[in-house]
Amino acid sequence: MKQILKHSFEAVSLLTTDNGMLDVTIVPALNQLDWIIPSSLILSVDDYHERIWIYLWQQQEVAVFHMLPRDQVVDKIVVLEGNTPAHRVALQTAGELHQVKVRISDVKDIDLPKYYVDVALSNIDANKIKDDSTNIYQSLSVSTADDTINAVEEHFRENVVQSYLFQTVIIDDTLYLVPDLDKIAHQLVDLDR
């Protein structure tokens, strides 16, 4: 009987039961898909019932991103690690966060559903009316599962998903938004303070 030689190249076994899994947290949002972020980025989840723009976390001011419209009640702050301590951000939301383990192979990229594109476009139009004197818009083609919509892209806005959307994914028939956390952090953090 021939002896079986063990493969010495470690990268072959990177996708094992443990390594092929992602620890993610689902953060509830309103008027957009719930967010899915790596659980390892969460530094703390604190109860907080007042809408704020800057959160004092461990004696550090952290810029806040609002995941709910202004007329909605908030109840928690989720502090996320950034590329530097200065680029930490907090998410203000309401509802329960859910931690899940998912297989990498179960996460599929998908286009942003048309409904959310339409909501974003209406928010862009509302912002254009407010900012009519500035020229902060540029042409953009947005693809959905149904078609491509010609839209405009504006600078980062909390109420315009396309301004911070990294990717839309589907896991177990549920859609989630993967935010561009670096872009959010760099837009919210004022390093001149």
Side-chain angles (χ1 to χ4, degrees):
M1 189 164 168
K2 189 174 180 182
Q3 183 180 9
I4 298 174
L5 298 174
K6 185 178 177 185
H7 201 289
S8 62
F9 182 59
E10 292 296 323
V12 168
S13 61
L14 283 180
L15 291 179
T16 64
T17 305
D18 292 332
N19 292 334
M21 302 293 283
L22 298 172
D23 288 318
V24 294
T25 299
I26 299 165
V27 182
L30 191 64
N31 293 336
Q32 60 179 298
L33 298 169
D34 288 345
W35 288 19
I36 189 164
I37 57 174
S39 297
S40 60
L41 292 181
I42 297 176
L43 298 173
S44 75
V45 178
D46 304 322
D47 289 334
Y48 204 88
H49 299 276
E50 185 180 328
R51 190 177 178 93
I52 57 173
W53 297 100
I54 300 291
Y55 181 62
L56 189 60
W57 180 77
Q58 296 188 353
Q59 301 178 342
Q60 177 191 1
E61 288 185 352
V62 179
V64 176
F65 181 92
H66 303 96
M67 298 180 65
L68 304 174
R70 291 183 183 187
D71 59 345
Q72 298 295 313
V73 177
V74 294
D75 66 11
K76 69 180 47 49
I77 294 267
V78 182
V79 180
L80 302 177
E81 183 61 273
N83 287 332
T84 68
H87 286 95
R88 289 181 177 138
V89 294
L91 307 176
Q92 194 161 34
T93 188
E96 292 302 313
L97 277 60
H98 299 283
Q99 283 191 303
V100 294
K101 276 188 175 248
V102 295
R103 288 191 173 286
I104 294 171
S105 60
D106 291 340
V107 179
K108 308 289 185 205
D109 292 348
I110 191 167
D111 290 331
L112 184 65
K114 187 172 181 343
Y115 168 78
Y116 295 104
V117 172
D118 292 343
V119 169
L121 290 174
S122 68
N123 289 337
I124 288 172
D125 290 341
N127 291 337
K128 282 180 79 172
I129 292 168
K130 289 181 205 169
D131 300 334
D132 210 15
S133 63
T134 61
N135 187 16
I136 62 173
Y137 305 95
Q138 56 185 321
S139 293
L140 169 73
S141 290
V142 179
S143 294
T144 67
D146 300 328
D147 52 29
T148 299
I149 298 171
N150 288 323
V152 291
E153 181 180 37
E154 61 182 326
H155 292 292
F156 170 83
R157 297 276 189 152
E158 286 181 335
N159 68 346
V160 180
V161 171
Q162 280 98 341
S163 71
Y164 55 81
L165 172 68
F166 179 76
Q167 180 63 50
T168 308
V169 296
I170 187 168
I171 303 168
D172 294 331
D173 298 324
T174 304
L175 296 159
Y176 298 101
L177 184 146
V178 179
D180 188 339
L181 295 173
D182 286 339
K183 184 174 184 179
I184 291 171
H186 283 87
Q187 295 294 320
L188 289 180
V189 174
D190 180 6
L191 293 178
D192 296 332
R193 283 191 255 171

